[in-house]
C-alpha cells in the first residue's frame, strides 16, 4: 500500500528542520541539508501521485488505530497532485532564496531561523494535504501557520512586524472558528473522520447540518482569502521577503482552497450553499481585480490578483459539476506555479531596480532583458492568454458555467471574462511602466536607474 509511505512526506521535512538547527552557524550546510531533504521528498510524492493515478484511492491508519478512531492518511489524485506541485514550488523557492542571499546572512534572512522554519512550514502543508480527518487537518494548519508567523517577520523591521501582527490576528480567528466547528461536529456525530462524516452528517437535523457546514466554509474561506474574508491579505504579504511572499502566495491560500474542495465534495456533498459560493466567487474575482488595477506597487498589485484569482477556484467548486471541479483542480495547480513565479520576479525587480513602485521604475527591459522575459511569460499566463495553461483553466471554468446555464452561472461567466481582461490590463501596466518606458519618463525616476541609462551600461 503506497499510503503507508505517505507519512514520510511529513517526517522528512521535520528531519530536515532538525538537521538545519544543528548547522545553525553554517549557511552552506543548511542550504545543502534542506535542498537534499526536499529532493527525495519530491520523489516520494511523485511515487504517491503515480500510485493514486494507477491504483485509485489508498489510505493508511497511523499508530495501529483503525479509522475512524485513529489518524488516517489518505492518498487520492488531488491530494497527491497538490503534494507534487507544492513541493516543486517550495524546492524552487528554496533554490531562489539561496541564490539571492536570503539564507546568506543578510537582513532579509537570519540564517539561524529561515531554513528550519521553512522546513516546518513544508511539513505542515504536506500534513494538511494528506490527512483524512478534520482534527489532523487543523493540526496541519497550525503547524504551517506557526512557521509562517516567523517567516512573515524575518528581519524584524517595523513594517514586517506590523504586517505580522495583522497576519497573526487574522489567522487566529479562523483557527479558533475551525476548532469550535470541529468540537461541534464531534459532539453531533461522534467522529471527525471525513469519510465517516459523509455517512453520519445526513442523519443530523438539517439546521444543525447547515450550521456546521457554514462554520467550516467561513473558516476555510478566511484562510483561502475569499471575499469578503480577504481583507487581511493585501496588507500582510507585500512586506515579507520575496521568497517568503512567493511561497505564501503560492501555497497557503491554496491549502484553504484544498480544504474547501474536500469539505464540499466529501462530508457536505450537494448544492445546498452553491448560491452563496457563486456570489462569493464573482465578488472575489471582481473586487480583487479592481483593487489590483488601482495599485502602483507591483507586490500589492500581485496580492490583489492573488485574491481575485481565488475567485476562479471557488467558481468551479460552486458549480457542483464534474467539469467545474476538474477545472478548479487544474486551476489550483496552474495558479500555484504562476503566482509564485510572479512574486519571485517581483523580488528580482526590487533587487535590480531598487523598488517595486511603478512610479519610480522604467527601462528594465533594456537594463535586464532576461528579467523582462521572466515577468512577461507568467504575466500573460495569469491573464489567460493562449496557449498558456491559464487559458485552458479559464476556458474549462467558463465552459462549465455555460453548461450549467442558470442566470447566476452566466453572471459568473461574465465576471470571469471581465476579471481576465482586467488582469491583462494590470499586467500590461506593469510591463509598460516598469519595463518598456525609459527611466526618464517615470513620475519619480530612481537616480540609480537614471544613472545606468545615462552611462550606457544598461546592457549587461
Amino acid at each position: 500500500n503506497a499510503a503507508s509511505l505517505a507519512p514520510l512526506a511529513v517526517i522528512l521535512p521535520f528531519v530536515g528542520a532538525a538537521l538545519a538547527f544543528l548547522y545553525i552557524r553554517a549557511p552552506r550546510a543548511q542550504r545543502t541539508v534542506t535542498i537534499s531533504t526536499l529532493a527525495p521528498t519530491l520523489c516520494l510524492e511523485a511515487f504517491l501521485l503515480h500510485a493514486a493515478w494507477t491504483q485509485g484511492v489508498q489510505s493508511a491508519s497511523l499508530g495501529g488505530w483503525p479509522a475512524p478512531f485513529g489518524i488516517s492518511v489518505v492518498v487520492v489524485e488531488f491530494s497527491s497532485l497538490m503534494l507534487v506541485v507544492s513541493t516543486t514550488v517550495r524546492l524552487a523557492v528554496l533554490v531562489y532564496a539561496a541564490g539571492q542571499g536570503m539564507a546568506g546572512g543578510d537582513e532579509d534572512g537570519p540564517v539561524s531561523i529561515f531554513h528550519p522554519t521553512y522546513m516546518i512550514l513544508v511539513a505542515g502543508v504536506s500534513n494538511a494535504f494528506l490527512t483524512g480527518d478534520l482534527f489532523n487537518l487543523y493540526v496541519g494548519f497550525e503547524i504551517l501557520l506557526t512557521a509562517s508567523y516567523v517567516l512573515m517577520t524575518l528581519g524584524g523591521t517595523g513594517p514586517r512586524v506590523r504586517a505580522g501582527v495583522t497576519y497573526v490576528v487574522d489567522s487566529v480567528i479562523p483557527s479558533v472558528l475551525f476548532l469550535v466547528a470541529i468540537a461541534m461536529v464531534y459532539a453531533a456525530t461522534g467522529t471527525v473522520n471525513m469519510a465517516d462524516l459523509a455517512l453520519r452528517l445526513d442523519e443530523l437535523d438539517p439546521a444543525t447540518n447547515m450550521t456546521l457546514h457554514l462554520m467550516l466554509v467561513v473558516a476555510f474561506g478566511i484562510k483561502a482569502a475569499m471575499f469578503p474574508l480577504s481583507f487581511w491579505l493585501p496588507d500582510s504579504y507585500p512586506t515579507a521577503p520575496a521568497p517568503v511572499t512567493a511561497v505564501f502566495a503560492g501555497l497557503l491560500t491554496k491549502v484553504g482552497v484544498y480544504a474547501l474542495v474536500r469539505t464540499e465534495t466529501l462530508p457536505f456533498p450537494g448544492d445546498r450553499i452553491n448560491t452563496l459560493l457563486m456570489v462569493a466567487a464573482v465578488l472575489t474575482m471582481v473586487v480583487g481585480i479592481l483593487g489590483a488595477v488601482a495599485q502602483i506597487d507591483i507586490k500589492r498589485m500581485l496580492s490583489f490578483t492573488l485574491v481575485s484569482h481565488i475567485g476562479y477556484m471557488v467558481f468551479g467548486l460552486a458549480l457542483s459539476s464534474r467539469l467545474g471541479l476538474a477545472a478548479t483542480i487544474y486551476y489550483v495547480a496552474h495558479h500555484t506555479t504562476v503566482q509564485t513565479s510572479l512574486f519571485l520576479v517581483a523580488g528580482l525587480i526590487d533587487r535590480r531596480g531598487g523598488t517595486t513602485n511603478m512610479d519610480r521604475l522604467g527601462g528594465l527591459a533594456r537594463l535586464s532583458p532576461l528579467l523582462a522575459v521572466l515577468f512577461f511569460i507568467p504575466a500573460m499566463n495569469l491573464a489567460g492568454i493562449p496557449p498558456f495553461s491559464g487559458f485552458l483553466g479559464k476556458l474549462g471554468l467558463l465552459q462549465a458555467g455555460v453548461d450549467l446555464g442558470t442566470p447566476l452561472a452566466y453572471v459568473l461567466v461574465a465576471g470571469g471574462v471581465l476579471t481576465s481582461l482586467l488582469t491583462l490590463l494590470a499586467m500590461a501596466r506593469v510591463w509598460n511602466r516598469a519595463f518598456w518606458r525609459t527611466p526618464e519618463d517615470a513620475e519619480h525616476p530612481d537616480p540609480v536607474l537614471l544613472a545606468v541609462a545615462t552611462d550606457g551600461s544598461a546592457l549587461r
Side-chain angles (χ1 to χ4, degrees):
N1 187 351
S4 60
L5 298 176
L8 288 175
V10 180
I11 295 171
L12 286 175
F14 274 128
V15 171
L19 292 175
F21 270 120
L22 293 179
Y23 295 105
I24 200 167
R25 299 188 182 280
R28 189 182 300 273
Q30 280 196 323
R31 290 195 292 269
T32 302
V33 164
T34 50
I35 293 175
S36 299
T37 305
L38 273 185
T41 303
L42 178 58
C43 295
L44 168 67
E45 291 164 353
F47 169 75
L48 294 177
L49 176 59
H50 178 266
W53 193 266
T54 56
Q55 302 171 30
V57 178
Q58 301 185 52
S59 63
S61 298
L62 304 184
W65 291 89
F69 307 103
I71 296 175
S72 297
V73 174
V74 180
V75 178
V76 298
E77 290 93 335
F78 185 30
S79 64
S80 52
L81 173 65
M82 290 305 300
L83 282 174
V84 170
V85 172
S86 63
T87 301
T88 302
V89 166
R90 290 176 294 200
L91 184 57
V93 170
L94 193 59
V95 173
Y96 171 98
Q100 289 297 307
M102 174 74 178
D106 66 12
E107 69 278 3
D108 280 343
V111 77
S112 61
I113 60 172
F114 172 70
H115 287 284
T117 309
Y118 189 87
M119 296 303 289
I120 292 172
L121 178 78
V122 170
V125 172
S126 298
N127 183 73
F129 286 148
L130 284 170
T131 184
D133 67 81
L134 288 176
F135 185 76
N136 201 35
L137 178 62
Y138 171 80
V139 172
F141 272 125
E142 293 309 298
I143 292 172
L144 69 90
L145 287 174
T146 302
S148 69
Y149 300 153
V150 178
L151 294 173
M152 176 68 72
T153 55
L154 283 180
T157 62
R160 289 179 186 171
V161 171
R162 286 191 296 270
V165 170
T166 301
Y167 178 75
V168 169
V169 172
D170 293 325
S171 297
V172 167
I173 292 173
S175 294
V176 172
L177 182 61
F178 186 18
L179 189 59
V180 171
I182 291 173
M184 293 176 64
V185 167
Y186 186 76
T189 64
T191 185
V192 290
N193 182 283
M194 285 188 270
D196 202 28
L197 283 173
L199 303 175
R200 300 193 186 190
L201 283 169
D202 285 340
E203 301 172 1
L204 298 180
D205 176 74
T208 303
N209 188 307
M210 181 60 71
T211 300
L212 298 175
H213 192 176
L214 289 177
M215 288 184 69
L216 289 173
V217 167
V218 171
F220 298 147
I222 297 175
K223 293 179 183 295
M226 184 173 66
F227 185 87
L229 310 172
S230 57
F231 54 88
W232 56 272
L233 191 149
D235 290 328
S236 300
Y237 282 12
T239 60
V244 173
T245 304
V247 79
F248 281 14
L251 292 179
L252 298 198
T253 52
K254 305 309 184 300
V255 179
V257 173
Y258 173 82
L260 277 173
V261 172
R262 289 292 298 274
T263 301
E264 294 301 307
T265 55
L266 190 57
F268 298 98
D271 57 1
R272 285 168 291 190
I273 65 167
N274 277 14
T275 300
L276 176 64
L277 289 177
M278 286 184 182
V279 172
V282 71
L283 289 175
T284 302
M285 288 189 290
V286 174
V287 174
I289 201 59
L290 289 177
V293 171
Q295 302 305 311
I296 61 171
D297 184 87
I298 296 175
K299 289 182 180 179
R300 283 187 62 83
M301 183 275 293
L302 291 176
S303 296
F304 276 99
T305 61
L306 169 60
V307 171
S308 176
H309 285 247
I310 294 297
Y312 280 109
M313 303 167 208
V314 181
F315 176 174
L317 179 62
L319 298 177
S320 287
S321 66
R322 184 183 295 271
L323 178 58
L325 186 60
T328 290
I329 293 172
Y330 178 90
Y331 205 84
V332 169
H334 146 79
H335 193 261
T336 299
T337 54
V338 171
Q339 195 76 46
T340 302
S341 301
L342 284 170
F343 272 104
L344 292 178
V345 172
L348 294 176
I349 292 172
D350 194 8
R351 184 173 289 260
R352 198 74 174 92
T355 181
T356 53
N357 188 317
M358 287 185 279
D359 285 348
R360 301 181 61 191
L361 288 171
L364 287 179
R366 183 167 178 259
L367 177 65
S368 181
L370 178 59
L371 180 58
V373 173
L374 291 175
F375 172 81
F376 184 81
I377 293 176
M380 293 300 100
N381 200 340
L382 188 68
I385 301 299
F388 296 115
S389 59
F391 172 74
L392 298 176
K394 289 175 183 176
L395 184 63
L397 290 168
L398 297 180
Q399 181 63 54
V402 171
D403 288 348
L404 184 60
T406 64
L408 192 52
Y410 283 119
V411 172
L412 270 174
V413 170
V417 173
L418 176 64
T419 301
S420 188
L421 293 174
L422 291 178
T423 301
L424 179 60
L425 174 63
M427 295 299 125
R429 286 181 70 241
V430 176
W431 175 261
N432 289 333
R433 301 182 70 185
F435 290 90
W436 199 246
R437 68 179 176 181
T438 62
E440 294 85 353
D441 292 333
E443 290 82 354
H444 307 286
D446 186 271
V448 176
L449 291 177
L450 281 175
V452 171
T454 301
D455 66 20
S457 60
L459 296 175
R460 63 174 182 267

